[in-house]
């Protein structure tokens, strides 16, 4: 009996030892950073009706894209009702009352601060776009263009109905189209002279409520740029689908699903090609792109005018060409 009891005891001890090896042991380090660091962010800056125009500079020079536009300074814009901060939102529009023989008055603004490897989240009720002659953009721009990069988060021309996301660099930077929902229309971000009208790499959003009239009719939505050393990703959320973590100021891009556009290695050195980006909002007319495709377009057929003639002589057609912004928030990754 003693021998049998000893055998049973040894069997039990052997089983317990094997179980202790098979079952993972819990350690404090197992519960730190269960998600990668770039999925956790803290709020760095917020631009809204309280501070937007104090934190953005107004550009008043000749339009670099050669548009039929006259960019005005802040006092002029206020006096002409091109900008305001009523009802808790930031409004930026264009002159829609006067014939404009020397370019239609508008605004082009850039953030005083520049950023590197951040998450930018813009909540907008209304955007310009979808009208003949227009070329709006929400974007970021680095110094020494294009070698420090340009990131066009929202952009379109004329009667376009879907958003076009585009990135620009000074060297080869390839968009392979994987892990994204947008349709690739141009794969190389390199702005070499052989590429048509500075196209860069480009993806077309497939949802029509991402841009212009349908975006506005739907109450707007949120655009986000998630910028890390590993990837540059743009997300769009319609008003009814904005994630709870964005509303709570605790954004977690790891839970947002597939982005509209996704540029990542090894085809692009993001740290080398993108740096010191300023946040930009512009509303120009015609210019290199919108005017460049005007001949033979539906806009040319409808208006029976050149782009600049149409923009100059039809102010009322641009009443709906404005930005209405709830906030632009910039988040830093938690280290």
């Amino acid at each position: 009996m003693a021998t049998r009891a000893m055998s049973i005891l040894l069997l039990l001890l052997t089983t317990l030892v094997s179980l202790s090896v098979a079952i993972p042991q819990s350690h404090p380090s197992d519960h730190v950073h269960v998600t990668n660091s770039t999925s956790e962010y803290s709020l760095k800056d917020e631009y809204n009706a309280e501070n937007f125009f104090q934190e953005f500079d107004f550009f008043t020079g000749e339009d670099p894209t050669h548009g039929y536009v006259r960019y005005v300074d802040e006092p002029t814009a206020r006096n002409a009702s091109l900008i305001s901060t009523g009802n808790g939102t930031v409004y930026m529009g264009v002159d829609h009352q006067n014939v404009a023989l020397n370019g239609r008055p508008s605004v082009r603004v850039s953030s005083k601060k520049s950023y590197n490897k951040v998450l930018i989240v813009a909540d907008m009720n209304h955007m310009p776009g979808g009208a003949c002659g227009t070329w709006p953009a929400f974007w970021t721009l680095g110094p020494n263009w294009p070698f420090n990069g340009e990131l066009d988060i929202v952009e379109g021309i004329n009667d376009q109905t879907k958003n076009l996301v585009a990135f620009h660099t000074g060297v080869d930077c390839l968009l392979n189209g994987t892990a994204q929902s947008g349709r690739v229309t141009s794969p190389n971000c390199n702005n070499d002279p052989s590429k048509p009208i500075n196209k860069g790499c480009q993806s077309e959003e497939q949802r029509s409520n991402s841009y212009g009239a349908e975006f506005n009719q739907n109450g707007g939505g949120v655009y986000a740029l998630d910028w890390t050393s590993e990837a540059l990703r743009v997300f769009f959320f319609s008003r009814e689908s904005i994630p709870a973590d964005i509303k709570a100021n605790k954004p977690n891009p790891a839970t947002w699903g597939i982005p509209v556009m996704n540029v990542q290695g090894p085809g692009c050195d993001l740290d080398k090609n993108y740096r010191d980006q300023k946040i930009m909002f512009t509303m120009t007319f015609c210019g290199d792109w919108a005017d460049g495709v005007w001949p033979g377009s539906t806009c040319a057929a409808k208006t029976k005018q050149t782009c600049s003639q149409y923009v100059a002589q039809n102010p009322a057609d641009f009443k709906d060409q404005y930005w209405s912004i709830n906030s632009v928030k910039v988040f830093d990754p938690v280290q």
Side-chain angles (χ1 to χ4, degrees), residues 39-269:
S39 66
E40 299 177 8
Y41 290 86
S42 62
L43 183 63
K44 178 183 180 71
D45 292 309
E46 178 174 352
Y47 304 111
N48 54 37
E50 298 296 321
N51 66 350
F52 189 93
F53 293 120
Q54 289 75 46
E55 300 296 334
F56 277 71
D57 292 321
F58 283 71
F59 174 84
T60 57
E62 292 294 320
D63 181 15
T65 63
H66 311 106
Y68 190 79
V69 66
R70 181 164 58 87
Y71 288 126
V72 300
D73 59 23
E74 182 178 358
T76 302
R78 285 193 184 279
N79 290 337
S81 299
L82 303 189
I83 64 171
S84 69
T85 52
N87 301 317
T89 61
V90 178
Y91 170 90
M92 291 182 285
V94 303
D95 179 355
H96 55 83
Q97 297 181 329
N98 302 294
V99 171
L101 299 180
N102 297 302
R104 186 152 298 284
S106 180
V107 295
R108 172 183 169 126
V109 299
S110 60
S111 61
K112 295 179 185 295
K113 291 184 178 181
S114 58
Y115 296 98
N116 290 282
K117 288 184 281 190
V118 293
L119 173 68
I120 300 173
V121 179
D123 185 330
M124 298 179 284
N125 298 311
H126 189 285
M127 68 167 67
C132 291
T134 57
W135 182 359
F138 162 49
W139 52 306
T140 71
L141 180 66
N144 190 27
W145 186 90
F147 298 101
N148 294 133
E150 173 187 334
L151 303 169
D152 301 322
I153 303 165
V154 174
E155 188 174 28
I157 56 165
N158 296 330
D159 51 2
Q160 178 181 313
T161 59
K162 296 177 182 177
N163 185 40
L164 287 174
V165 184
F167 299 160
H168 303 262
T169 62
V171 298
D172 282 348
C173 179
L174 302 178
L175 169 65
N176 62 22
T178 61
Q180 69 169 55
S181 62
R183 181 178 66 88
V184 176
T185 58
S186 177
N188 195 341
C189 308
N190 190 352
N191 258 73
D192 64 58
S194 67
K195 298 191 73 62
I197 52 178
N198 300 331
K199 196 172 185 179
C201 57
Q202 193 177 83
S203 292
E204 181 186 54
E205 166 65 80
Q206 298 303 290
R207 292 165 288 181
S208 58
N209 63 354
S210 64
Y211 182 78
E214 194 167 332
F215 175 91
N216 301 332
Q217 292 163 7
N218 198 48
V222 163
Y223 271 96
L225 169 70
D226 185 24
W227 173 13
T228 69
S229 292
E230 291 73 39
L232 274 167
R233 304 185 298 166
V234 170
F235 294 86
F236 167 63
F237 304 103
S238 58
R239 179 62 59 195
E240 68 275 8
S241 64
I242 299 171
D245 56 20
I246 289 180
K247 295 178 181 179
N249 269 353
K250 297 180 180 179
N252 184 359
T255 68
W256 291 352
I258 299 175
V260 177
M261 183 155 165
N262 177 35
V263 172
Q264 58 187 18
C268 187
D269 186 338

Side-chain angles (χ1 to χ4, degrees), residues 281-295:
F281 285 90
T282 54
M283 177 61 231
T284 189
F285 298 92
C286 303
D288 296 335
W289 188 13
D291 203 11
V293 299
W294 187 273

